[in-house]
Amino acid sequence: MAFAAALAAAAPAVAQRASLADRVTVLEQQAANNQGNVDLLNQVTQLRNEIQTLRSQVEELQQQNQQLLQSSKAQYLDLDGRINRLESGAVVPPAPGTTPAPAGTKPAAPSASAKDRPPAVYGDKGAIAKSADERVAYDAAFNALKGGDYVESARLFQAFIEAHPEGAYTPNALYWLGESYYVTQNYQMAQLQFQSLLDRYPTHDKAPGAMLKIGLSQFNQKQIEAAERTLADVSTKYPGTDAARTASDRLNAIQLGRLR
């Protein structure tokens, strides 16, 4: 009975110790969970800082990219404006504060001050007299071109070529016939005339310009790859000429235009 009484007295103490152990275990788990939460919170804070840093870097890169695009566009517009002036025969640099003509602008027409160097004519009096008659017909066509009557100039140059297929002014007439079509944006017909000049008179002083205009006509007909090849060939076949320099500028402008 004494033993039983001792056991009965000890039972509450054991139960109390068990209860304390459970409570300690729970507290330890809570502490562990709290530490985990603290670690997780630290990780989240670190990730937020990294994201903020990345955002700043992205914004900086976007700004740099925008500046590069604006710079490329400005270079493209400047080149295109220069080329438009060269095509019209006005090779004077743009005045300060002026804005270059944007891409897609209608080709500039030959101005009233456009000049055409007449070919030298040698031979007997009959040949010289014939050349004089030829020059009268040629001047009539060229004056129509300078006056802006491109339909009439095309008609007169075509008539001149038919009347003087091997004349001293025929290469010039072919070039300006192509120019008459080019100015009115009839690029296919313009290309045919420039190609005829190039095929028949590859060493004529207007041959480099004719090849340049073939490339520009191809470009305006959306034949971009063909235009790039032709413009590159101008520098190869006619190095050092004004046409070669213009072709190089135009080729660069086309390539820059793809970056816009």
Side-chain angles (χ1 to χ4, degrees):
M1 292 179 64
F3 178 71
L7 288 175
V14 172
Q16 186 178 10
R17 285 197 298 270
S19 177
L20 288 173
D22 292 339
R23 290 171 62 191
V24 169
T25 300
V26 170
L27 290 174
E28 289 177 346
Q29 290 176 349
Q30 290 178 349
N33 291 337
N34 290 336
Q35 184 61 42
N37 290 336
V38 171
D39 292 341
L40 181 59
L41 181 59
N42 291 336
Q43 292 177 10
V44 169
T45 302
Q46 182 178 358
L47 288 174
R48 284 177 177 172
N49 292 336
E50 291 177 356
I51 290 172
Q52 184 62 37
T53 301
L54 290 173
R55 282 178 178 172
S56 299
Q57 292 176 353
V58 168
E59 290 176 357
E60 183 178 354
L61 289 173
Q62 287 176 339
Q63 180 65 23
Q64 292 177 356
N65 185 56
Q66 185 66 25
Q67 291 175 350
L68 287 174
L69 288 175
Q70 290 176 352
S71 176
S72 297
K73 183 177 180 180
Q75 292 177 15
Y76 169 77
L77 293 176
D78 179 63
L79 283 173
D80 195 71
R82 288 168 54 201
I83 289 165
N84 284 333
R85 288 188 293 275
L86 287 171
E87 288 176 8
S88 66
V91 295
V92 180
T98 58
T99 303
T105 302
K106 181 178 178 180
S111 64
S113 61
K115 296 181 180 180
D116 190 39
R117 185 176 64 184
V121 179
Y122 304 97
D124 57 30
K125 293 182 179 180
I128 295 175
K130 181 180 178 181
S131 175
D133 293 337
E134 179 184 333
R135 181 65 198 233
V136 171
Y138 177 82
D139 283 345
F142 191 70
N143 288 334
L145 177 71
K146 290 195 298 181
D149 191 349
Y150 308 118
V151 174
E152 181 65 7
S153 68
R155 186 188 70 79
L156 291 174
F157 277 123
Q158 185 63 55
F160 175 89
I161 293 168
E162 291 174 358
H164 307 279
E166 302 297 333
Y169 293 88
T170 299
N172 298 54
L174 282 169
Y175 181 86
W176 293 114
L177 175 58
E179 191 71 32
S180 298
Y181 288 127
Y182 185 86
V183 169
T184 56
Q185 300 184 0
N186 189 346
Y187 300 116
Q188 184 176 9
M189 288 297 295
Q191 183 177 342
L192 290 174
Q193 310 314 315
F194 293 128
Q195 188 64 56
S196 179
L197 167 60
L198 196 63
D199 291 341
R200 294 175 60 184
Y201 308 98
T203 60
H204 192 270
D205 60 0
K206 287 197 177 297
M211 192 172 192
L212 167 66
K213 284 302 179 70
I214 290 172
L216 297 178
S217 297
Q218 290 170 330
F219 174 75
N220 285 295
Q221 295 176 82
K222 310 303 181 184
Q223 302 168 6
I224 305 302
E225 293 183 357
E228 289 180 331
R229 289 194 297 269
T230 301
L231 293 173
D233 287 343
V234 178
S235 297
T236 301
K237 295 184 178 180
Y238 303 102
T241 61
D242 290 339
R245 287 186 286 272
T246 303
S248 179
D249 285 345
R250 190 60 164 177
L251 184 58
N252 290 335
I254 292 172
Q255 293 169 346
L256 282 172
R258 293 180 176 177
L259 300 176
R260 290 191 303 169

